[in-house]
Amino acid sequence: MITRLSHLFLRTLRDDPADAEVPSHKLLVRAGYVRRIAPGVYSWLPLGLRVLREVERVVREEMNGIGAQEISLPALLPREPYEASNRWTEYGDGLFRLKDRKGGDYLLGPTHEELFALTVKGEYNSYKDFPVTLYQVQTKYRDEERPRAGILRGREFVMKDSYSFDLTDEGLTESYQAHRDAYERIFARLGVKYVIVSATSGAMGGSASEEFLAESEIGEDTYVRCLESGYAANVEAVKTLAPEPVPFDGLPAAKVYDTPETPTIATLVDWANGADLGRTVTAADTLKNILVKTRQPGGKWELLGIGVPGDREVDDKRLGASLEPAEFELLTEADFAANPFLTKGYIGPKALQANGVRYLVDPRIVDGTSWITGADEKGKHVVGLVAGRDFTPDGTIEAAEVRGGDPSPDGAGALVAARGIEIGHVFQLGRKYTDVFSVDVLGENGKPVRPTMGSYGVGVSRLVAVIAEQHHDDKGLRWPAEVSPADVHVVIANKDDTARAGAEGLAAELDKAGLEVILDDRKASPGVKFKDSELLGVPLVVVVGRGWGEGKVEVRDRFTGESREVAAESALTEIVKTVRG
Ligand code: ATP
Ligand code: MG
């Protein structure tokens, strides 16, 4: 097909949109690929839609390749299945809910485990029908708290979601592995640099779960790697390597000190180093107690105390993942007022436990470790408070930040941290949803068996942004050939009629050879056309200009930036060869 820029529904912009912060967002808007309608809601214009369709094509090819079958479920869904799985409540504000004219509750599907389980239950009833894997490429809806970076985190977005149904755990492992392999092929074909990290299984209650993260500094996910062992995990999934407990004998008794004006860790450490304790104290010797309130879905708010070494912050995402499906909030002034035993800046384990507040600590706070911490009175701290001797936490919690340099959980070396964007997720769900809907089929021995599920997602629309993020320069986009909106972008850079006719002829031949051609036949200056060709980002740009008179065209490689002159008569063969590789 030849797409003429003189007719294409396209308006490129010289300036970055005011609301865009990350390069992919700026460029996709400037190049006329997407347009904003509302926060996290975008329209796809012709070239953007083409890239989206190319990503979908690659995803479909690889899904079909592992024997997954495509179906399409509605996005508009009744409440009941989600009520049955409790996700109507658990999803909280993230769910778009609506009512029909009769007052019935509906939602816009955020992910479809319930419906796929019910669909399989509806059609299949014998062990002979299994295993089966179904997928769809579908528009999803999530009322994200912070839609971000254009199509990167939308409230409406396209996801490929697939679900495997097996009768045995071994079967599930195989289906999982097949998806994992297919995802590796998808992301390689799309030219995305990524890592696979262990993920938390969160509230979904499964076992194995891994995320595919595209490497990117603007990513919202932090992951860590151990270069020695190859361990890689999302920080939410990192299990802190706990030290061995220390024997109590010989540890000095705890002692309360007056520590006026020491409500922060820094002021406390300063006091301790001036207090003649017989050693140098660092923030890591202090125990910082953070108060939050948590609420199970549909439940009541409850106080929770979290103790972490004073040199570490609480990481909201890690805390959130540990508490899931419960949510949490920081305490308000009113909460402090309602609980006068909480002495801000001087909170210690004692008052929490004496007042029935659940108290969880970082895994480093093992029995026998000795801490400087609040004494529950303004201007007082206690030194030498020993875990397991002077206080006994209700358990441990993974909430403290993970830092580069921390020991790897497998003990093999130090962790290095980097950022990424989640592009895919593979997940062994188990029987959570088949249990909810009693999906039973007749087993080989005549007894009912319950299938076990896997669920697997790829962020299809997000990938358009991710590819743009990983492949651009300051002039514009640089699509990998597999997803480019065209194979070649022919620029007519000369007013001369013979050059124009020559370019038209070359475009027609390229089209006949099966290539997707963009032809810039507009009445605009060569400078404007070159700029647009760089902005649009087709990998191969052919300039038919001054050289045409001498039988030459220029071929520019948008990926490498290289440019060469090619004889007009061999241009067709050369270009087809370059595109076909
Ligand atoms: P995130 O942690 O980024 O919110 P998630 O873990 O909630 O993602 P999943 O439920 O695993 O996402 O969905 C599968 C895939 O769908 C993700 O790997 C991601 O690529 C994509 N995705 C999820 N939320 C969005 C969104 N708001 N906009 C675009 N793509 C998304
Ligand atoms: Mg996920």
Side-chain angles (χ1 to χ4, degrees):
M1 199 173 82
I2 302 179
T3 302
R4 291 170 182 277
L5 287 192
S6 59
H7 286 81
L8 184 66
F9 187 64
L10 171 73
R11 194 59 71 231
T12 55
L13 310 175
R14 287 287 157 250
D15 296 315
D16 289 333
D19 64 332
E21 280 164 14
V22 311
S24 60
H25 185 193
K26 291 178 187 167
L27 290 172
L28 288 169
V29 172
R30 275 186 48 208
Y33 281 64
V34 298
R35 288 289 179 259
R36 180 181 180 277
I37 298 294
V41 181
Y42 280 77
S43 302
W44 296 88
L45 300 187
L47 296 182
L49 191 59
R50 282 197 200 171
V51 177
L52 179 68
R53 294 287 181 251
E54 292 298 306
V55 174
E56 288 180 6
R57 175 182 55 76
V58 171
V59 170
R60 282 199 170 89
E61 285 172 10
E62 296 299 339
M63 282 296 105
N64 297 340
I66 59 167
Q69 302 175 57
E70 183 169 2
I71 65 175
S72 182
L73 297 183
L76 178 64
L77 300 169
R79 169 178 175 161
E80 289 71 26
Y82 286 77
E83 186 74 54
S85 67
N86 204 31
R87 288 211 286 189
W88 176 263
T89 313
E90 270 176 22
Y91 243 103
D93 290 337
L95 204 59
F96 276 106
R97 300 153 207 267
L98 55 161
K99 285 200 186 293
D100 70 4
R101 62 173 73 211
K102 292 184 180 141
D105 282 318
Y106 283 78
L107 66 128
L108 298 177
T111 170
H112 283 65
E113 281 76 7
E114 287 83 349
L115 274 294
F116 275 78
L118 282 170
T119 299
V120 167
K121 181 182 164 97
E123 306 301 316
Y124 276 1
N125 52 29
S126 159
Y127 72 93
K128 291 181 193 144
D129 299 324
F130 291 83
V132 64
T133 296
L134 303 173
Y135 78 97
Q136 60 178 350
V137 179
Q138 197 225 24
T139 304
K140 300 274 189 268
Y141 297 86
R142 295 181 184 179
D143 195 358
E144 298 277 357
E145 195 175 358
R146 275 182 288 276
R148 180 171 173 261
I151 54 169
L152 200 64
R153 179 175 295 285
R155 296 196 296 163
E156 175 181 289
F157 60 97
V158 181
M159 193 202 289
K160 184 287 300 175
D161 48 326
S162 32
Y163 306 85
S164 64
F165 295 81
D166 281 275
L167 297 184
T168 61
D169 291 350
E170 299 73 53
L172 172 57
T173 307
E174 269 172 44
S175 299
Y176 179 90
Q177 192 60 41
H179 268 88
R180 196 180 189 276
D181 295 346
Y183 280 21
E184 295 217 59
R185 289 190 291 271
I186 290 170
F187 300 132
R189 285 178 64 183
L190 297 178
V192 176
K193 280 230 277 264
Y194 67 94
V195 291
I196 303 177
V197 303
S198 329
T200 49
S201 33
M204 289 180 116
S207 44
S209 167
E210 287 166 296
E211 282 170 1
F212 290 71
L213 301 183
E215 298 176 24
S216 168
E217 277 170 21
I218 62 125
E220 290 179 282
D221 288 279
T222 307
Y223 65 93
V224 288
R225 265 192 283 199
C226 172
L227 302 178
E228 284 78 11
S229 64
Y231 168 89
N234 196 317
V235 286
E236 276 119 293
V238 174
K239 295 262 175 282
T240 306
L241 195 63
E244 287 296 315
V246 184
F248 297 139
D249 17 299
L251 291 175
K255 186 172 164 198
V256 175
Y257 286 82
D258 280 326
T259 61
E261 306 300 331
T262 55
T264 62
I265 295 296
T267 50
L268 177 61
V269 169
D270 279 349
W271 169 83
N273 283 319
D276 211 10
L277 297 178
R279 61 186 166 117
T280 308
V281 169
T282 69
D285 301 316
T286 69
L287 170 60
K288 177 162 72 178
N289 296 302
I290 312 283
L291 262 287
V292 295
K293 50 184 179 179
T294 69
R295 179 168 70 174
Q296 293 293 336
K300 282 205 309 239
W301 287 110
E302 279 174 21
L303 292 182
L304 171 67
I306 298 162
V308 296
D311 62 330
R312 292 196 186 247
E313 300 302 325
V314 165
D315 176 333
D316 283 357
K317 278 192 170 178
R318 276 175 48 80
L319 174 58
S322 294
L323 294 175
E324 232 192 320
E327 54 180 331
F328 75 93
E329 274 181 16
L330 297 178
L331 297 199
T332 59
E333 287 304 327
D335 294 318
F336 277 102
N339 296 286
F341 62 90
L342 298 175
T343 315
K344 245 186 165 174
Y346 301 91
I347 298 173
K350 286 233 159 116
L352 298 178
Q353 301 203 275
N355 289 278
V357 177
R358 195 155 71 103
Y359 181 56
L360 302 176
V361 296
D362 182 80
R364 295 172 190 81
I365 301 169
V366 293
D367 280 2
T369 52
S370 173
W371 302 94
I372 302 176
T373 190
D376 300 304
E377 252 184 85
K378 197 164 187 298
K380 284 186 201 273
H381 279 92
V382 54
V383 176
L385 198 74
V386 173
R389 184 190 73 181
D390 304 324
F391 69 101
T392 308
D394 297 308
T396 60
I397 184 163
E398 294 288 353
E401 62 180 323
V402 176
R403 291 195 295 235
D406 283 350
S408 174
D410 58 15
L415 294 173
V416 286
R419 300 183 79 78
I421 304 167
E422 185 183 325
I423 47 176
H425 194 169
V426 291
F427 200 151
Q428 295 192 18
L429 266 179
R431 295 189 172 75
K432 173 165 178 186
Y433 293 90
T434 47
D435 280 346
V436 167
F437 302 108
S438 305
V439 183
D440 287 322
V441 300
L442 196 66
E444 208 169 349
N445 56 6
K447 290 194 188 130
V449 280
R450 191 158 284 183
T452 175
M453 281 174 74
S455 114
Y456 319 89
V458 169
V460 173
S461 52
R462 174 176 286 184
L463 273 165
V464 175
V466 166
I467 297 167
E469 199 58 48
Q470 288 192 347
H471 300 291
H472 70 269
D473 59 15
D474 51 4
K475 300 189 188 105
L477 300 158
R478 294 200 292 194
W479 297 112
E482 184 90 70
V483 297
S484 173
D487 295 311
V488 49
H489 181 135
V490 180
V491 176
I492 306 177
N494 200 329
K495 288 205 194 83
D496 172 56
D497 279 345
T498 52
R500 181 165 270 273
E504 289 276 356
L506 178 59
E509 286 176 347
L510 290 167
D511 175 40
K512 239 171 81 190
L515 267 49
E516 282 287 343
V517 184
I518 287 179
L519 178 62
D520 195 347
D521 58 344
R522 293 176 298 175
K523 290 198 172 64
S525 75
V528 165
K529 293 184 175 184
F530 294 151
K531 274 214 161 67
D532 275 346
S533 76
E534 285 163 342
L535 182 59
L536 296 184
V538 172
L540 214 58
V541 178
V542 177
V543 181
V544 181
R546 279 203 202 102
W548 182 259
E550 296 127 49
K552 285 191 183 124
V553 300
E554 186 191 338
V555 178
R556 297 180 180 175
D557 184 320
R558 180 71 185 97
F559 233 75
T560 61
E562 282 161 18
S563 148
R564 62 198 157 101
E565 281 206 323
V566 172
E569 63 261 30
S570 58
L572 172 69
T573 347
E574 284 265 334
I575 295 164
V576 171
K577 207 171 81 195
T578 311
V579 170
R580 297 267 145 82

